[in-house]
Amino acid sequence: MLAGVAGLVDSFARFALQRLGTPAPIAPTQHLVVTGLYRYVRNPIYVAVAAVIFGQALLFGDWRLFASGASSGSSSTFLSWATKSRR
């Protein structure tokens, strides 16, 4: 869970500081970030959020959180793929 939070904070910071924009689609970015987690994963914020949810599932021992993490991860991946493949 802590690794997910650290990844989330790092990804937001890199997005804001190196891309000169925000993660929101209304402020298009000007530069491609290829450092940190962005070097390995296209959407590290999605991965970090899923890691936090799965970490909570392990911490609390609740299978519903595992289901929530799987649902959240798969839906964000699908939406990302669907919106980017239309371009």
Side-chain angles (χ1 to χ4, degrees):
M1 190 164 69
L2 294 176
V5 171
L8 191 60
V9 170
D10 178 67
S11 296
F12 272 116
R14 284 186 196 279
F15 209 114
L17 298 175
Q18 293 183 3
R19 285 185 155 189
L20 304 174
T22 66
I26 59 169
T29 56
Q30 299 172 358
H31 303 286
L32 179 65
V33 176
V34 291
T35 59
L37 294 176
Y38 286 97
R39 172 179 256 171
Y40 306 105
V41 181
R42 184 174 184 174
N43 295 311
I45 294 174
Y46 296 161
V47 174
V49 168
V52 169
I53 294 171
F54 287 130
Q56 289 175 342
L58 288 173
L59 181 67
F60 299 123
D62 191 351
W63 66 270
R64 292 173 294 184
L65 285 171
F66 277 109
S68 173
S71 173
S72 153
S74 61
S75 63
S76 63
T77 301
F78 174 75
L79 289 174
S80 175
W81 171 80
T83 57
K84 293 195 174 53
S85 65
R86 280 192 265 155
R87 293 182 186 169

